Amino acid sequence: MFKRLWYNSRARSVMMQVLIACLFFGTLAWLVWNAHYNLTQRGIATGFGYLSDAARFPISESLLAYRPTDSYARAFVVGLVNTLYISVLVIVASTVLGFMLALARRSRHPLVNGIATFYLEITRNTPLVVQLLFWYSLVTINLPSPRQALNPLPGVFLSIRGLFFPSVQIEGYWLAMGWVILAALLVWVGLRPLRRRRPTLPLGRVFFVGALLACVLAWQWGDVTLTSHSPQLRGLNFVGGTALTPEFTALLLGLTLYSSVFSGEIIRGGIDAVAPGQWEAAQSLGLRPWTTLRCVVVPQSLRVIVPPMTSQYLSIVKNTTLALAVGYPDLSFVITTTINQTGQAIEGLAILMGVYLCISLSVSLFMNLYNRRILRTERK
């Protein structure tokens, strides 16, 4: 009977799958038992109850209010917001810089093309952590003290403590934003029937003008006021205004310059994938090179650019974990500190893996929806 089942291809495949599943779940059960046994032997409690305890460690910079007496859960949220903040900034900045790099790489000018190629080869073949440490040492060692701070522009100071520049405080912000969102929705709903009657209507420009008018009205009706605060030297540091710490600056520069070379090559490949006949057809119609690139080539190249750019954006989010090398308090920094204090390594790593999994899936979902919209527009 066993011989008959073994020579049956379907039965043999089922047996192999059952065997592999048993090995997988058996290994998983052994790992769980081994971890539980070792934790019990060392007197380390398991579970997520420690999240409500006081963190008892400071976070150097955060967008949300935080004190050492806050809970570990609050510290995790602060670290997550810092991670999302630096990720969004790097994604936007690297995409813009990558587009410029792609145009420079396609340039026929030998000097422009040579500089872009040299920058690309140096950056792409140097480890990211080395670049982060280079920028961090550059902004922490070679800059002057606050009393001898560089003052390139009025109200702007650059020193070893970071970059300080004037800030603008907006009062009545949320009320104004409510008016803007409501007016934008009304403009959008009102333009949809008009677009069906006139398909050639430039809906984007009309919506931009309507949104701009809504902002002006919200400014008046929302009683919005602006207050400027300039940095002032007090003792050994500046107070007031907005400050970019050396850790944040080094991380932003390093990740942006490193990621831009990969984004630039993706964009360049997408532009080169467009048939040369499209350039020639646009030139025959009298379009200028920039208009041809913006209105003809780039829209067609998006179907090639978006899929690999999704992977690039995911890599940027994951590379933010190297913020630990320069001391920027992102989520991995906070969780590492928590593990050192509580010993809850499994729970901390599980939270870290779960958060990055959710972020990656969200980025992939958004980019896939955008890609489907591009393909659907091309089919029309």
Side-chain angles (χ1 to χ4, degrees), residues 125-308:
N125 292 286
T126 306
L128 176 57
V129 66
V130 175
Q131 298 186 36
L132 294 178
L133 294 176
F134 168 77
W135 289 110
Y136 183 67
S137 62
L138 185 66
V139 300
T140 56
I141 296 177
N142 297 323
L143 291 178
S145 63
R147 293 186 179 276
Q148 289 81 32
L150 302 177
N151 188 16
L153 295 173
V156 179
F157 300 93
L158 182 62
S159 70
I160 195 174
R161 297 298 181 90
L163 177 64
F164 299 85
F165 53 91
S167 63
V168 177
Q169 184 177 1
I170 304 177
E171 299 180 359
Y173 173 79
W174 295 110
L175 181 60
M177 285 299 297
W179 281 108
V180 170
I181 294 174
L182 179 60
L185 290 176
L186 292 177
V187 170
W188 180 262
V189 172
L191 287 177
R192 288 183 65 87
L194 187 61
R195 179 64 181 271
R196 296 172 184 173
R197 298 178 183 177
R198 297 182 58 186
T200 59
L201 179 69
L203 187 61
R205 296 180 182 179
V206 176
F207 179 73
F208 176 76
V209 174
L212 184 62
L213 180 61
C215 292
V216 174
L217 295 178
W219 186 278
Q220 299 295 328
W221 295 346
D223 194 18
V224 179
T225 57
L226 298 179
T227 305
S228 177
H229 299 278
S230 299
Q232 301 291 334
L233 182 62
R234 295 287 187 272
L236 300 177
N237 201 358
F238 290 92
V239 295
T242 302
L244 297 181
T245 62
E247 294 79 10
F248 178 83
T249 305
L251 183 63
L252 181 62
L253 283 175
L255 287 179
T256 299
L257 295 178
Y258 180 80
S259 303
S260 63
V261 298
F262 297 95
S263 300
E265 287 299 282
I266 293 173
I267 296 173
R268 184 181 67 86
I271 294 176
D272 290 342
V274 178
Q278 299 293 323
W279 292 89
E280 298 171 357
Q283 293 175 2
S284 66
L285 295 175
L287 297 179
R288 295 182 177 180
W290 174 250
T291 305
T292 302
L293 180 67
R294 181 173 57 89
C295 299
V296 179
V297 177
V298 170
Q300 298 184 63
S301 63
L302 287 178
R303 59 185 175 84
V304 181
I305 293 175
V306 171

Side-chain angles (χ1 to χ4, degrees), residues 128-130 132-133 136 251 320-328 330 333:
L128 176 57
V129 66
V130 175
L132 294 178
L133 294 176
Y136 183 67
L251 183 63
T320 57
T321 56
L322 293 176
L324 188 65
V326 295
Y328 179 74
D330 70 325
F333 180 91

